[in-house]
Coordinates of all heavy atoms in Angstrom, one line a residue:
R1 N 20.5 12.2 -21.3 CA 20.9 11.0 -20.5 C 20.0 11.1 -19.2 O 20.0 12.1 -18.6 CB 22.3 11.0 -20.3 CG 22.8 9.8 -19.5 CD 24.3 9.8 -19.5 NE 24.7 8.6 -18.8 CZ 25.9 8.3 -18.4 NH1 26.8 9.2 -18.6 NH2 26.2 7.2 -17.9
G2 N 19.5 10.0 -18.8 CA 18.7 9.9 -17.6 C 19.5 9.6 -16.4 O 20.4 8.7 -16.4
Y3 N 19.4 10.3 -15.3 CA 20.1 10.1 -14.0 C 19.0 9.9 -13.0 O 17.9 10.4 -13.0 CB 20.9 11.3 -13.7 CG 22.1 11.5 -14.5 CD1 22.2 12.5 -15.4 CD2 23.3 10.7 -14.3 CE1 23.3 12.7 -16.2 CE2 24.4 10.9 -15.0 CZ 24.4 11.9 -15.9 OH 25.6 12.2 -16.7
W4 N 19.4 9.1 -11.9 CA 18.7 8.8 -10.8 C 18.5 10.1 -10.0 O 19.5 10.7 -9.7 CB 19.3 7.7 -10.1 CG 18.5 7.4 -8.7 CD1 17.2 7.2 -8.5 CD2 19.2 7.1 -7.5 NE1 16.9 6.9 -7.2 CE2 18.2 6.8 -6.5 CE3 20.5 7.0 -7.0 CZ2 18.4 6.5 -5.2 CZ3 20.7 6.7 -5.7 CH2 19.7 6.5 -4.8
R5 N 17.3 10.3 -9.5 CA 17.1 11.4 -8.6 C 16.7 10.8 -7.2 O 15.7 10.1 -7.2 CB 15.9 12.3 -9.1 CG 16.2 13.1 -10.2 CD 15.1 14.0 -10.6 NE 15.3 14.6 -11.9 CZ 16.1 15.8 -12.0 NH1 16.6 16.3 -11.0 NH2 16.3 16.3 -13.2
H6 N 17.5 11.1 -6.2 CA 17.2 10.6 -4.9 C 16.4 11.7 -4.1 O 16.9 12.7 -3.7 CB 18.5 10.3 -4.1 CG 18.3 9.7 -2.8 ND1 19.3 9.0 -2.2 CD2 17.2 9.6 -2.0 CE1 18.8 8.6 -1.0 NE2 17.6 8.9 -0.8
Q7 N 15.1 11.5 -4.0 CA 14.1 12.4 -3.4 C 14.4 12.3 -1.9 O 14.5 11.2 -1.3 CB 12.7 12.2 -3.7 CG 12.3 12.4 -5.1 CD 12.6 11.3 -6.0 OE1 12.6 10.1 -5.6 NE2 12.7 11.5 -7.3
L8 N 14.6 13.5 -1.3 CA 14.9 13.6 0.2 C 13.8 14.2 1.0 O 13.5 13.6 2.0 CB 16.2 14.4 0.3 CG 17.5 13.8 -0.3 CD1 18.6 14.7 -0.2 CD2 17.8 12.5 0.4
F9 N 13.4 15.4 0.6 CA 12.4 16.1 1.5 C 11.4 16.8 0.7 O 11.6 17.1 -0.4 CB 13.2 17.3 2.3 CG 14.5 16.8 2.8 CD1 15.7 17.4 2.3 CD2 14.7 16.0 3.9 CE1 17.0 17.1 2.8 CE2 16.0 15.6 4.3 CZ 17.1 16.1 3.8
Y10 N 10.2 17.0 1.3 CA 9.2 17.9 0.9 C 8.9 18.8 2.1 O 8.4 18.3 3.1 CB 8.0 17.2 0.4 CG 7.0 18.2 -0.1 CD1 7.1 18.8 -1.3 CD2 5.8 18.5 0.6 CE1 6.2 19.7 -1.8 CE2 4.9 19.4 0.2 CZ 5.0 20.0 -1.0 OH 4.1 20.9 -1.5
N11 N 9.4 20.0 2.0 CA 9.3 20.9 3.2 C 9.2 22.4 2.7 O 9.5 22.6 1.6 CB 10.4 20.6 4.2 CG 10.2 21.1 5.7 OD1 9.2 21.8 5.8 ND2 11.1 20.7 6.5
C12 N 8.9 23.3 3.6 CA 9.0 24.7 3.3 C 10.4 25.1 3.5 O 11.0 25.0 4.6 CB 8.0 25.5 4.2 SG 6.3 25.1 3.9
F13 N 11.0 25.7 2.5 CA 12.3 26.2 2.5 C 12.3 27.7 2.0 O 11.5 28.1 1.2 CB 13.3 25.5 1.6 CG 13.5 24.0 2.1 CD1 12.8 23.0 1.6 CD2 14.5 23.8 3.0 CE1 12.9 21.7 2.0 CE2 14.8 22.4 3.4 CZ 14.0 21.5 2.9
G14 N 13.1 28.5 2.6 CA 13.2 29.9 2.1 C 12.4 30.8 3.0 O 11.6 30.4 3.8
P15 N 12.6 32.1 2.9 CA 12.0 33.0 3.8 C 10.5 33.2 3.6 O 9.8 33.8 4.4 CB 12.8 34.3 3.4 CG 13.3 34.2 2.0 CD 13.5 32.7 1.9
F16 N 9.9 32.7 2.5 CA 8.5 32.8 2.2 C 7.7 31.6 2.6 O 6.5 31.6 2.4 CB 8.3 33.2 0.8 CG 9.0 34.5 0.4 CD1 10.1 34.4 -0.5 CD2 8.7 35.6 0.9 CE1 10.8 35.5 -0.8 CE2 9.4 36.8 0.5 CZ 10.5 36.8 -0.3
G17 N 8.4 30.6 3.1 CA 7.7 29.4 3.6 C 7.1 28.6 2.4 O 6.2 27.8 2.6
K18 N 7.7 28.7 1.2 CA 7.1 27.9 0.1 C 7.6 26.5 0.1 O 8.8 26.2 0.4 CB 7.6 28.6 -1.2 CG 7.1 28.1 -2.4 CD 7.6 28.9 -3.7 CE 6.8 28.6 -4.8 NZ 7.1 29.4 -6.0
P19 N 6.7 25.5 -0.1 CA 7.2 24.1 -0.1 C 8.0 23.8 -1.3 O 7.7 24.2 -2.5 CB 5.9 23.4 -0.1 CG 4.9 24.2 -0.7 CD 5.3 25.6 -0.4
F20 N 9.1 23.0 -1.1 CA 9.9 22.5 -2.2 C 10.1 21.0 -2.1 O 10.1 20.5 -1.0 CB 11.3 23.2 -2.2 CG 11.4 24.6 -2.5 CD1 11.1 25.7 -1.6 CD2 11.5 25.0 -3.9 CE1 11.2 27.0 -2.0 CE2 11.5 26.4 -4.3 CZ 11.3 27.3 -3.2
L21 N 10.3 20.4 -3.2 CA 10.7 19.0 -3.2 C 12.2 19.1 -3.4 O 12.7 19.7 -4.3 CB 10.1 18.3 -4.4 CG 10.5 16.8 -4.5 CD1 10.2 15.9 -3.4 CD2 9.9 16.2 -5.9
V22 N 13.0 18.4 -2.5 CA 14.4 18.5 -2.6 C 14.9 17.1 -3.0 O 14.6 16.1 -2.3 CB 15.0 18.9 -1.2 CG1 16.5 19.0 -1.3 CG2 14.4 20.3 -0.8
D23 N 15.9 17.1 -3.9 CA 16.5 15.8 -4.3 C 18.0 16.0 -4.5 O 18.5 17.1 -4.5 CB 15.9 15.2 -5.5 CG 16.2 15.9 -6.9 OD1 17.1 16.7 -6.9 OD2 15.6 15.5 -7.9
V24 N 18.7 14.9 -4.7 CA 20.1 14.9 -5.1 C 20.1 14.2 -6.5 O 19.7 13.1 -6.6 CB 21.1 14.2 -4.2 CG1 22.5 14.2 -4.8 CG2 21.1 15.0 -2.9
L25 N 20.5 14.9 -7.5 CA 20.6 14.3 -8.8 C 21.9 13.5 -9.0 O 22.9 14.1 -8.8 CB 20.5 15.4 -9.9 CG 20.7 15.0 -11.4 CD1 19.5 14.0 -11.8 CD2 20.7 16.1 -12.3
A26 N 21.8 12.3 -9.3 CA 22.9 11.3 -9.4 C 23.9 11.4 -8.2 O 24.9 12.0 -8.4 CB 23.6 11.6 -10.8
P27 N 23.4 10.9 -7.1 CA 24.2 11.1 -5.8 C 25.7 10.6 -5.9 O 26.5 11.0 -5.0 CB 23.4 10.2 -4.8 CG 22.1 10.0 -5.4 CD 22.2 10.1 -6.9
H28 N 26.0 9.7 -6.8 CA 27.3 9.2 -6.9 C 28.1 9.8 -8.1 O 29.3 9.5 -8.2 CB 27.4 7.7 -7.0 CG 26.6 7.0 -5.9 ND1 25.7 5.9 -6.2 CD2 26.5 7.3 -4.6 CE1 25.2 5.6 -5.0 NE2 25.6 6.4 -4.1
V29 N 27.4 10.6 -8.9 CA 28.0 11.1 -10.1 C 28.1 12.6 -10.2 O 29.1 13.3 -10.1 CB 27.4 10.6 -11.4 CG1 28.1 11.0 -12.7 CG2 27.3 9.0 -11.4
L30 N 26.9 13.2 -10.3 CA 26.8 14.7 -10.4 C 26.7 15.3 -9.0 O 27.3 16.4 -8.9 CB 25.5 15.1 -11.2 CG 25.5 14.5 -12.6 CD1 24.1 14.9 -13.3 CD2 26.6 15.1 -13.5
M31 N 26.0 14.7 -8.1 CA 25.9 15.2 -6.7 C 25.4 16.7 -6.7 O 25.9 17.5 -6.0 CB 27.3 15.2 -6.0 CG 27.8 13.8 -5.9 SD 29.3 13.8 -4.9 CE 29.8 12.0 -5.2
D32 N 24.3 16.9 -7.4 CA 23.6 18.1 -7.5 C 22.4 18.1 -6.5 O 21.5 17.4 -6.7 CB 23.2 18.5 -8.9 CG 24.3 18.8 -9.8 OD1 25.4 19.1 -9.3 OD2 24.0 18.8 -11.0
L33 N 22.4 19.0 -5.5 CA 21.2 19.2 -4.6 C 20.3 20.2 -5.3 O 20.7 21.2 -5.8 CB 21.6 19.8 -3.3 CG 20.5 19.9 -2.3 CD1 20.0 18.5 -1.8 CD2 21.0 20.8 -1.1
E34 N 19.0 19.8 -5.5 CA 18.1 20.6 -6.3 C 16.8 20.8 -5.5 O 16.3 19.9 -4.8 CB 17.7 19.9 -7.5 CG 18.8 19.5 -8.5 CD 18.3 18.7 -9.7 OE1 17.6 17.7 -9.5 OE2 18.7 19.1 -10.8
F35 N 16.3 22.0 -5.5 CA 15.1 22.5 -4.9 C 14.0 22.7 -6.0 O 14.2 23.6 -6.8 CB 15.3 23.8 -4.1 CG 16.1 23.6 -2.9 CD1 17.6 23.5 -3.0 CD2 15.6 23.5 -1.6 CE1 18.4 23.4 -1.9 CE2 16.4 23.4 -0.5 CZ 17.8 23.3 -0.6
F36 N 13.0 21.9 -6.0 CA 12.0 22.0 -7.0 C 10.7 22.7 -6.5 O 10.2 22.3 -5.4 CB 11.5 20.6 -7.5 CG 12.5 20.0 -8.4 CD1 13.5 19.1 -8.0 CD2 12.3 20.1 -9.8 CE1 14.4 18.5 -8.8 CE2 13.2 19.5 -10.7 CZ 14.2 18.7 -10.2
D37 N 10.2 23.6 -7.3 CA 8.9 24.2 -7.0 C 7.9 23.2 -7.6 O 7.9 23.0 -8.9 CB 8.7 25.6 -7.7 CG 7.4 26.2 -7.5 OD1 6.4 25.5 -6.9 OD2 7.2 27.4 -7.8
V38 N 7.0 22.7 -6.8 CA 5.9 21.8 -7.3 C 4.6 22.3 -7.2 O 3.6 21.5 -7.3 CB 6.1 20.4 -6.6 CG1 7.5 19.7 -6.9 CG2 6.0 20.5 -5.1
T39 N 4.4 23.6 -7.0 CA 3.1 24.2 -6.8 C 2.5 24.6 -8.2 O 1.3 24.8 -8.1 CB 3.2 25.4 -5.9 OG1 4.1 26.4 -6.5 CG2 3.7 25.0 -4.5
G40 N 3.2 24.6 -9.2 CA 2.6 25.0 -10.5 C 2.3 23.8 -11.3 O 2.3 22.7 -10.8
P41 N 2.0 24.0 -12.6 CA 1.6 22.8 -13.4 C 2.8 22.0 -13.8 O 2.6 20.7 -14.1 CB 1.1 23.5 -14.7 CG 1.6 24.9 -14.7 CD 1.8 25.2 -13.3
E42 N 4.0 22.4 -13.7 CA 5.2 21.6 -13.9 C 6.2 21.9 -12.9 O 6.3 22.9 -12.3 CB 5.8 22.0 -15.3 CG 4.9 21.6 -16.5 CD 5.6 21.8 -17.8 OE1 6.8 21.9 -17.8 OE2 4.8 22.1 -18.7
M43 N 7.0 20.8 -12.6 CA 8.1 20.9 -11.6 C 9.2 21.8 -12.2 O 9.5 21.6 -13.4 CB 8.6 19.5 -11.2 CG 7.8 18.8 -10.3 SD 8.4 17.2 -9.9 CE 10.1 17.3 -9.6
E44 N 9.8 22.7 -11.4 CA 10.8 23.7 -11.9 C 11.9 23.7 -10.8 O 11.6 24.0 -9.7 CB 10.1 25.0 -12.2 CG 11.2 26.0 -12.7 CD 10.6 27.4 -13.0 OE1 9.3 27.5 -12.8 OE2 11.3 28.3 -13.3
V45 N 13.1 23.6 -11.3 CA 14.2 23.8 -10.4 C 14.4 25.2 -10.1 O 14.6 26.1 -11.0 CB 15.6 23.2 -11.0 CG1 16.7 23.5 -10.1 CG2 15.5 21.7 -11.3
M46 N 14.3 25.6 -8.8 CA 14.3 27.0 -8.4 C 15.8 27.3 -7.8 O 16.2 28.5 -7.9 CB 13.3 27.2 -7.3 CG 11.9 27.0 -7.8 SD 11.4 28.0 -9.2 CE 11.4 29.6 -8.5
A47 N 16.4 26.3 -7.4 CA 17.8 26.5 -6.8 C 18.5 25.1 -6.9 O 18.0 24.1 -6.8 CB 17.8 27.0 -5.5
S48 N 19.9 25.2 -7.1 CA 20.6 24.0 -7.0 C 22.1 24.3 -6.7 O 22.6 25.5 -6.9 CB 20.7 23.3 -8.4 OG 21.3 24.0 -9.4
V49 N 22.7 23.3 -6.1 CA 24.2 23.5 -5.7 C 24.8 22.2 -5.8 O 24.2 21.1 -5.5 CB 24.2 24.1 -4.2 CG1 23.6 23.2 -3.2 CG2 25.6 24.4 -3.8
S50 N 26.1 22.1 -6.3 CA 26.8 20.9 -6.5 C 27.7 20.6 -5.4 O 28.1 21.4 -4.6 CB 27.6 21.0 -7.8 OG 26.8 21.2 -9.0
G51 N 28.0 19.3 -5.3 CA 29.1 18.8 -4.4 C 28.5 18.1 -3.1 O 29.2 18.0 -2.2
Y52 N 27.3 17.7 -3.2 CA 26.6 17.0 -2.0 C 26.0 15.7 -2.5 O 25.6 15.5 -3.6 CB 25.6 17.9 -1.4 CG 26.2 19.2 -1.0 CD1 26.1 20.4 -1.8 CD2 27.0 19.3 0.1 CE1 26.8 21.5 -1.4 CE2 27.7 20.5 0.5 CZ 27.5 21.6 -0.3 OH 28.1 22.8 0.0
T53 N 25.9 14.8 -1.5 CA 25.4 13.5 -1.8 C 24.2 13.1 -0.9 O 24.0 13.9 0.1 CB 26.4 12.4 -1.8 OG1 25.8 11.2 -2.2 CG2 27.0 12.1 -0.4
A54 N 23.5 12.1 -1.1 CA 22.4 11.7 -0.2 C 22.8 10.5 0.6 O 22.2 10.2 1.6 CB 21.2 11.3 -1.1
H55 N 23.9 9.9 0.3 CA 24.3 8.7 1.0 C 25.6 8.2 0.4 O 26.1 8.6 -0.7 CB 23.3 7.5 0.9 CG 23.1 7.1 -0.5 ND1 22.1 7.7 -1.2 CD2 23.7 6.1 -1.3 CE1 22.1 7.1 -2.4 NE2 23.0 6.2 -2.5
S56 N 26.4 7.3 1.2 CA 27.6 6.8 0.7 C 27.3 5.6 -0.2 O 26.4 4.8 0.0 CB 28.5 6.4 1.9 OG 28.8 7.5 2.6
I57 N 28.2 5.3 -1.2 CA 28.1 4.2 -2.0 C 28.2 3.0 -1.1 O 29.1 2.8 -0.3 CB 29.2 4.1 -3.1 CG1 29.0 5.3 -4.1 CG2 29.2 2.7 -3.8 CD1 30.2 5.4 -5.1
G58 N 27.2 2.0 -1.3 CA 27.2 0.7 -0.5 C 26.6 0.8 0.8 O 26.4 -0.1 1.5
S59 N 26.2 2.1 1.2 CA 25.5 2.2 2.6 C 24.0 1.7 2.5 O 23.4 1.8 1.5 CB 25.5 3.7 2.9 OG 24.7 3.9 4.1
R60 N 23.7 1.1 3.6 CA 22.3 0.7 3.7 C 21.4 1.9 4.2 O 20.2 1.8 4.1 CB 22.2 -0.4 4.8 CG 22.7 -1.7 4.3 CD 22.6 -2.8 5.4 NE 23.2 -4.0 4.9 CZ 22.9 -5.2 5.4 NH1 22.0 -5.3 6.4 NH2 23.4 -6.3 5.0
N61 N 22.1 2.9 4.6 CA 21.3 4.1 5.1 C 21.1 5.0 3.9 O 22.0 5.8 3.6 CB 22.0 4.8 6.2 CG 21.2 6.0 6.7 OD1 20.2 6.3 6.2 ND2 21.9 6.8 7.6
L62 N 20.0 5.0 3.4 CA 19.7 5.9 2.1 C 19.1 7.2 2.6 O 18.7 8.1 1.8 CB 18.9 5.2 1.1 CG 19.5 3.9 0.5 CD1 18.5 3.4 -0.6 CD2 20.9 4.3 -0.1
D63 N 18.8 7.3 3.9 CA 18.2 8.5 4.4 C 19.2 9.3 5.3 O 19.0 9.4 6.5 CB 17.0 8.1 5.2 CG 15.9 7.5 4.4 OD1 15.7 7.9 3.3 OD2 15.2 6.5 4.9
A64 N 20.3 9.7 4.7 CA 21.3 10.3 5.4 C 21.2 11.8 5.6 O 22.1 12.5 5.8 CB 22.7 9.9 4.8
G65 N 20.0 12.3 5.4 CA 19.7 13.7 5.6 C 18.6 14.0 6.4 O 17.8 13.1 6.8
V66 N 18.4 15.3 6.7 CA 17.3 15.7 7.6 C 16.9 17.2 7.1 O 17.8 17.9 6.7 CB 17.6 15.7 9.1 CG1 18.7 16.6 9.5 CG2 16.4 15.9 10.0
S67 N 15.7 17.6 7.3 CA 15.3 19.0 7.0 C 14.6 19.5 8.2 O 13.9 18.8 8.9 CB 14.5 19.1 5.8 OG 13.2 18.6 6.0
G68 N 14.8 20.8 8.5 CA 14.1 21.5 9.6 C 14.9 22.8 9.9 O 15.9 23.0 9.3
D69 N 14.3 23.6 10.8 CA 14.9 24.8 11.2 C 15.9 24.4 12.4 O 15.6 24.5 13.5 CB 13.9 25.8 11.7 CG 14.6 27.1 12.2 OD1 15.7 27.3 11.9 OD2 13.9 27.9 12.9
L70 N 17.1 24.1 12.0 CA 18.1 23.5 13.0 C 19.0 24.6 13.6 O 19.7 24.4 14.6 CB 18.9 22.4 12.3 CG 18.1 21.3 11.7 CD1 19.0 20.3 11.0 CD2 17.3 20.6 12.8
N71 N 18.9 25.8 13.0 CA 19.7 26.9 13.6 C 18.9 28.0 14.2 O 19.5 29.0 14.6 CB 20.7 27.4 12.6 CG 20.1 28.1 11.4 OD1 18.8 28.2 11.4 ND2 20.8 28.7 10.4
G72 N 17.6 27.9 14.2 CA 16.8 28.8 15.0 C 16.5 30.1 14.3 O 16.0 31.0 15.0
D73 N 16.7 30.2 13.0 CA 16.4 31.4 12.2 C 15.0 31.5 11.5 O 14.8 32.4 10.8 CB 17.5 31.8 11.3 CG 17.6 30.8 10.1 OD1 16.8 29.8 10.1 OD2 18.4 31.0 9.2
N74 N 14.2 30.5 11.8 CA 12.9 30.4 11.2 C 12.9 30.1 9.7 O 11.9 30.4 9.0 CB 12.0 31.6 11.5 CG 11.8 31.8 12.9 OD1 11.4 30.8 13.6 ND2 11.9 33.0 13.4
I75 N 14.1 29.6 9.1 CA 14.1 29.1 7.8 C 14.7 27.7 7.8 O 15.7 27.5 8.5 CB 15.1 30.0 7.0 CG1 14.6 31.5 6.9 CG2 15.2 29.5 5.5 CD1 15.5 32.5 6.3
N76 N 13.9 26.7 7.2 CA 14.3 25.4 7.2 C 15.7 25.2 6.4 O 15.9 25.8 5.4 CB 13.2 24.5 6.6 CG 12.1 24.4 7.6 OD1 12.2 24.4 8.8 ND2 10.9 24.2 7.0
E77 N 16.4 24.3 6.8 CA 17.7 23.8 6.1 C 17.5 22.5 5.6 O 16.8 21.6 6.2 CB 19.0 23.9 7.0 CG 19.2 25.2 7.5 CD 18.6 25.6 8.8 OE1 18.4 24.8 9.7 OE2 18.1 26.8 8.9
A78 N 18.2 22.1 4.5 CA 18.4 20.7 4.1 C 19.8 20.4 4.6 O 20.8 21.0 4.2 CB 18.3 20.6 2.6
V79 N 19.9 19.3 5.5 CA 21.1 19.0 6.0 C 21.5 17.6 5.4 O 20.8 16.6 5.5 CB 21.1 18.9 7.5 CG1 22.4 18.4 8.1 CG2 20.7 20.2 8.2
I80 N 22.6 17.6 4.7 CA 23.0 16.4 3.9 C 24.6 16.2 4.0 O 25.3 17.2 4.3 CB 22.6 16.4 2.5 CG1 23.2 17.6 1.8 CG2 21.0 16.5 2.3 CD1 22.9 17.6 0.3
P81 N 25.1 15.0 3.7 CA 26.5 14.8 3.7 C 27.2 15.5 2.6 O 26.7 15.8 1.4 CB 26.7 13.3 3.4 CG 25.3 12.7 3.8 CD 24.3 13.8 3.5
T82 N 28.5 15.9 2.9 CA 29.3 16.5 1.8 C 29.8 15.4 0.9 O 29.6 14.2 1.1 CB 30.6 17.1 2.5 OG1 31.3 16.1 3.3 CG2 30.2 18.3 3.3
E83 N 30.3 15.9 -0.3 CA 30.7 14.9 -1.3 C 31.6 13.8 -0.8 O 31.5 12.6 -1.2 CB 31.4 15.7 -2.5 CG 31.8 14.8 -3.6 CD 32.5 15.6 -4.7 OE1 32.4 16.9 -4.7 OE2 32.9 15.1 -5.6
D84 N 32.6 14.1 0.1 CA 33.5 13.0 0.6 C 33.0 12.3 1.8 O 33.5 11.3 2.2 CB 34.8 13.7 1.0 CG 34.7 14.7 2.2 OD1 33.6 14.9 2.7 OD2 35.6 15.4 2.4
G85 N 31.7 12.7 2.2 CA 31.1 11.9 3.2 C 31.6 12.1 4.7 O 31.3 11.5 5.6
K86 N 32.5 13.1 4.8 CA 33.2 13.3 6.1 C 32.5 14.4 6.9 O 32.9 14.7 8.0 CB 34.6 13.7 5.8 CG 35.4 12.5 5.3 CD 36.9 12.8 5.1 CE 37.6 11.7 4.6 NZ 39.1 12.0 4.4
G87 N 31.5 15.1 6.3 CA 30.9 16.1 7.1 C 29.4 16.3 6.7 O 29.0 15.6 5.7
L88 N 28.7 17.2 7.4 CA 27.4 17.5 7.0 C 27.3 19.0 6.8 O 28.1 19.7 7.4 CB 26.4 17.2 8.2 CG 26.2 15.7 8.5 CD1 25.3 15.5 9.8 CD2 25.6 14.9 7.4
V89 N 26.3 19.4 5.9 CA 26.2 20.8 5.7 C 24.7 21.2 5.7 O 23.9 20.3 5.2 CB 26.9 21.2 4.3 CG1 26.2 20.6 3.1 CG2 26.9 22.7 4.1
G90 N 24.3 22.3 6.2 CA 23.0 22.8 6.2 C 22.8 23.8 5.1 O 23.5 24.8 5.1
I91 N 21.9 23.6 4.2 CA 21.7 24.5 3.0 C 20.3 25.1 3.1 O 19.3 24.4 3.2 CB 22.0 23.8 1.8 CG1 23.4 23.2 1.7 CG2 21.7 24.7 0.5 CD1 23.8 22.4 0.5
Q92 N 20.3 26.5 2.9 CA 19.0 27.2 2.9 C 18.8 27.9 1.6 O 19.9 28.3 1.0 CB 19.0 28.3 4.0 CG 19.1 27.8 5.4 CD 19.2 29.0 6.4 OE1 19.7 30.0 6.1 NE2 18.5 28.8 7.5
I93 N 17.6 28.1 1.2 CA 17.3 29.1 0.2 C 17.1 30.4 0.9 O 16.3 30.6 1.8 CB 16.0 28.7 -0.5 CG1 16.3 27.4 -1.3 CG2 15.6 29.8 -1.6 CD1 15.1 26.8 -2.0
R94 N 17.9 31.4 0.5 CA 17.9 32.7 1.1 C 17.2 33.8 0.3 O 16.7 34.7 0.9 CB 19.4 33.2 1.3 CG 20.1 32.3 2.3 CD 19.4 32.4 3.6 NE 20.4 32.9 4.6 CZ 20.2 33.3 5.8 NH1 19.0 33.2 6.2 NH2 21.1 33.7 6.6
Q95 N 17.1 33.7 -1.0 CA 16.5 34.7 -1.8 C 15.7 34.0 -3.0 O 16.2 33.0 -3.4 CB 17.5 35.7 -2.4 CG 18.3 36.4 -1.4 CD 19.5 37.3 -2.1 OE1 19.5 37.3 -3.3 NE2 20.3 37.8 -1.2
P96 N 14.7 34.7 -3.5 CA 14.0 34.0 -4.5 C 14.7 34.0 -5.8 O 14.2 33.5 -6.9 CB 12.7 34.8 -4.6 CG 12.9 36.1 -4.0 CD 14.0 35.9 -3.0
S97 N 15.9 34.6 -5.9 CA 16.7 34.7 -7.1 C 17.6 33.5 -7.3 O 18.7 33.7 -7.8 CB 17.5 36.0 -7.2 OG 18.4 36.0 -6.1
N98 N 17.2 32.3 -7.1 CA 17.9 31.1 -7.2 C 19.2 31.0 -6.3 O 20.1 30.4 -6.7 CB 18.2 30.8 -8.6 CG 16.9 30.6 -9.4 OD1 15.8 30.3 -8.9 ND2 17.1 30.7 -10.8
S99 N 19.2 31.7 -5.3 CA 20.4 31.8 -4.4 C 20.3 30.8 -3.3 O 19.2 30.5 -2.8 CB 20.6 33.2 -3.8 OG 20.9 34.1 -4.8
T100 N 21.4 30.2 -2.9 CA 21.4 29.3 -1.7 C 22.6 29.7 -0.9 O 23.5 30.5 -1.3 CB 21.7 27.9 -2.2 OG1 23.0 27.8 -2.9 CG2 20.6 27.3 -3.0
S101 N 22.6 29.4 0.4 CA 23.7 29.6 1.3 C 23.9 28.4 2.1 O 23.1 27.6 2.4 CB 23.4 30.8 2.2 OG 22.4 30.5 3.1
E102 N 25.2 28.2 2.5 CA 25.6 27.2 3.4 C 25.9 27.6 4.7 O 26.2 28.7 5.0 CB 26.8 26.4 2.8 CG 26.6 25.9 1.4 CD 27.9 25.4 0.8 OE1 28.8 25.0 1.6 OE2 28.1 25.4 -0.4

């Protein structure tokens, strides 16, 4: 079954500065934040975490996220709304073993 992927960022995430394409798979249904490695011949999901969206249903603002080193630790975060839309969370890739941290 095909789901809409809301592409959000292309930035370096993680301790090695590797660029990732970040999306939310089915922002109103599955709400999976995914980090794709796009440096090889095929895109590959390197990390994912559920429970986050890219925007609220019916919102005109489809760009409700930001990426950057917002906490000063030299690792970029993907900052996006929580599933209920009442908060924001910053998510980093911390280890190359498909781990994420909030």
Side-chain angles (χ1 to χ4, degrees):
R1 183 173 186 191
Y3 287 105
W4 175 43
R5 293 183 184 278
H6 185 161
Q7 291 87 23
L8 296 171
F9 318 114
Y10 182 75
N11 202 346
C12 294
F13 293 94
F16 304 108
K18 188 174 189 171
F20 289 92
L21 176 66
V22 180
D23 75 10
V24 175
L25 178 60
H28 307 138
V29 182
L30 298 177
M31 300 184 188
D32 290 341
L33 182 71
E34 302 176 314
F35 291 79
F36 282 91
D37 179 356
V38 295
T39 58
E42 295 185 22
M43 288 179 34
E44 180 181 355
V45 176
M46 299 303 292
S48 67
V49 61
S50 297
Y52 303 99
T53 188
H55 60 273
S56 300
I57 294 176
S59 173
R60 290 183 181 199
N61 181 6
L62 298 181
D63 296 320
V66 65
S67 73
D69 179 17
L70 303 175
N71 64 1
D73 67 353
N74 295 318
I75 300 173
N76 290 325
E77 296 86 41
V79 179
I80 59 169
T82 55
E83 182 176 349
D84 62 9
K86 294 182 180 179
L88 296 173
V89 65
I91 298 176
Q92 297 179 322
I93 295 177
R94 294 295 239 170
Q95 299 173 5
S97 62
N98 296 341
S99 296
T100 62
S101 73
E102 299 177 27

